């Protein structure tokens, strides 16, 4: 009897599909691809493995044994009712997004430090303005809140700019690969914020990370500190951050928000000292990202078929 693999990932190339179909065929799986979750509904009843980002899939798959999310964050799948088959395994694609998101971080950071929004406003008005005071990554004190794939890839891109120090903050206090100048456990975050010129956040959205940056933490940052958030909007108290930006004390580059899409009438659209992008830092339009998503899935597909532990397995209690 054929086993069923359902994949909803529109950015796959023909080569990606061929690689997945070849692996599926070797292990007796029938493989079906769809562009939209709703299109797959007739096939979800018998699906053993699903690759997709929408809990609609897991809620309608009573025989599901493994769901692979092509995203790094899996917060939509953490709700109590997210799975019709509660024992199904959940994996993520952490490790696929470090390259694209870290480059987005550098873009946002340089635009803020080099005053790109202000210069753009002047050139739009055909004004020849020079000598706005700029700042550098060089000699800056940087804190990376989140030291996983995104944090590590960001650190690698920051090093050539010669910052004064790069600190990492994580839950366990471990220094992955010895890359960071120093690691601080998350419980001690408040202690290092006063010595942070640039705070880069790449945390997942979990119960433990909800508003980890609140008014109290924002107040501890030095004047003119820059916050870049490419994790989840829930980790920052957005109202408190907006107040700091409007006061002229901090700068921010945000790719994620408490409510997405940001409503058209939100005051964020006109907030000074803020650069906004619409949750595109980790988009799958970069071919390398999709290549990595497929590589990670195929590695765990072989593990699954061989009865080995899955390398991308998510602990649903922790949220990653």
């Amino acid at each position: 009897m054929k086993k069923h693999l359902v994949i909803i990932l529109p950015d796959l190339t023909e080569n990606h599909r061929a690689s997945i179909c070849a692996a599926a065929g070797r292990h007796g799986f029938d493989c079906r691809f769809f562009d939209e979750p709703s299109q797959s509904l007739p096939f979800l009843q018998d699906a053993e493995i699903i690759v997709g980002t929408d809990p609609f899939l897991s809620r309608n798959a009573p025989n599901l044994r493994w769901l692979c999310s092509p995203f790094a964050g899996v917060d939509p799948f953490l709700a109590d009712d997210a799975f019709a088959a509660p024992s199904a395994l959940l994996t993520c694609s952490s490790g696929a997004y470090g390259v694209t998101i870290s480059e987005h971080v550098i873009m946002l950071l340089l635009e803020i430090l080099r005053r790109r929004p202000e210069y753009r406003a002047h050139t739009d008005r055909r004004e020849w303005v020079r000598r706005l005071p700029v700042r550098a990554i060089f000699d800056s004190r940087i804190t990376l809140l989140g030291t996983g794939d995104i944090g590590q890839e960001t650190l690698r891109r920051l090093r050539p700019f010669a910052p004064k120090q790069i600190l990492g903050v994580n839950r366990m206090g471990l220094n992955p690969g010895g890359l960071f100048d120093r690691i601080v456990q998350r419980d001690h975050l408040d202690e290092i914020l006063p010595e942070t010129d640039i705070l880069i956040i790449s945390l997942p959205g979990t119960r433990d990370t909800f508003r980890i940056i609140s008014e109290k933490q924002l107040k501890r940052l030095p004047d003119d500190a820059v916050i870049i958030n490419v994790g989840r909007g829930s980790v920052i108290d957005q109202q408190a951050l907006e107040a700091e930006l409007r006061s002229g004390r901090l700068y921010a580059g945000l790719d994620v928000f408490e409510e997405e899409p940001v409503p058209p009438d939100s005051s964020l659209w006109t907030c000074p000292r803020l650069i906004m992008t619409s949750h595109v830092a980790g988009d799958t339009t970069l071919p390398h990202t999709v290549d990595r998503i497929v590589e990670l899935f195929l590695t765990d597909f072989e593990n699954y078929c061989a009865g080995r532990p899955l390398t991308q397995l998510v602990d649903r209690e922790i949220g990653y």
Side-chain angles (χ1 to χ4, degrees), residues 109-126:
L109 184 54
L110 287 175
E111 285 204 334
I112 291 170
L113 295 179
R114 306 298 298 191
R115 309 291 289 274
R116 173 60 177 160
E118 293 96 327
Y119 276 120
R120 177 61 186 269
H122 286 300
T123 57
D124 285 347
R125 294 192 295 266
R126 304 188 183 191

Side-chain angles (χ1 to χ4, degrees), residues 3-264:
K3 297 172 283 187
H4 298 283
L5 167 61
V6 171
I7 298 175
I8 300 91
L9 188 56
D11 295 308
L12 294 175
T13 65
E14 288 304 315
N15 285 339
H16 292 143
R17 293 184 181 220
S19 296
I20 293 170
C21 285
R26 288 195 301 271
H27 294 286
F29 276 84
D30 171 58
C31 190
R32 294 183 180 270
F33 298 90
F34 302 93
D35 290 334
E36 298 290 340
S38 59
Q39 297 171 348
S40 68
L41 183 58
F43 302 93
L44 296 180
Q45 178 73 27
D46 298 318
E48 180 174 333
I49 301 174
I50 296 174
V51 179
T53 62
D54 195 323
F56 170 87
L57 302 166
S58 52
R59 290 192 180 105
N60 287 281
N63 294 301
L64 181 66
R65 295 183 63 188
W66 169 28
L67 185 134
C68 170
S69 170
F71 290 165
V74 294
D75 31 317
F77 293 101
L78 300 179
D80 293 338
D81 63 345
F83 285 83
S87 62
L89 301 173
L90 173 64
T91 61
C92 69
S93 296
S94 176
Y97 293 90
V99 168
T100 188
I101 293 181
S102 62
E103 291 189 5
H104 196 90
V105 168
I106 299 300
M107 177 196 74
L108 290 174
L109 184 54
L110 287 175
E111 285 204 334
I112 291 170
L113 295 179
R114 306 298 298 191
R115 309 291 289 274
R116 173 60 177 160
E118 293 96 327
Y119 276 120
R120 177 61 186 269
H122 286 300
T123 57
D124 285 347
R125 294 192 295 266
R126 304 188 183 191
E127 298 170 349
W128 188 258
V129 174
R130 303 180 63 208
R131 296 186 61 78
L132 293 179
V134 298
R135 297 158 61 193
I137 298 173
F138 170 78
D139 212 31
S140 292
R141 302 168 298 176
I142 301 174
T143 296
L144 292 169
L145 181 50
T147 61
D149 173 54
I150 296 168
Q152 292 172 44
E153 290 292 340
T154 300
L155 178 146
R156 292 186 178 99
R157 282 152 183 79
L158 289 168
R159 280 289 185 207
F161 289 94
K164 178 179 291 186
Q165 66 179 14
I166 302 180
L167 305 184
V169 182
N170 59 36
R171 191 168 57 91
M172 302 298 293
L174 302 177
N175 191 343
L179 293 172
F180 294 83
D181 296 332
R182 182 159 58 98
I183 287 290
V184 177
Q185 282 190 282
R186 201 182 291 168
D187 292 346
H188 298 282
L189 171 63
D190 287 6
E191 299 168 18
I192 61 169
L193 290 177
E195 57 185 276
T196 298
D197 302 311
I198 298 167
L199 176 64
I200 299 170
I201 306 170
S202 59
L203 293 176
T206 68
R207 290 188 296 270
D208 289 342
T209 63
F210 180 75
R211 293 194 175 177
I212 192 171
I213 301 297
S214 63
E215 181 179 10
K216 174 187 174 184
Q217 284 72 40
L218 293 169
K219 295 293 186 187
R220 293 188 65 79
L221 287 166
D223 290 350
D224 292 325
V226 178
I227 299 174
I228 306 291
N229 187 15
V230 289
R232 285 294 183 266
S234 60
V235 306
I236 298 179
D237 183 333
Q238 193 168 282
Q239 185 175 359
L241 174 59
E242 184 174 354
E244 292 287 346
L245 299 176
R246 289 188 177 278
S247 75
R249 209 181 71 78
L250 301 178
Y251 291 88
L254 303 180
D255 185 58
V256 289
F257 303 87
E258 289 183 341
E259 181 180 359
E260 296 182 7
V262 175

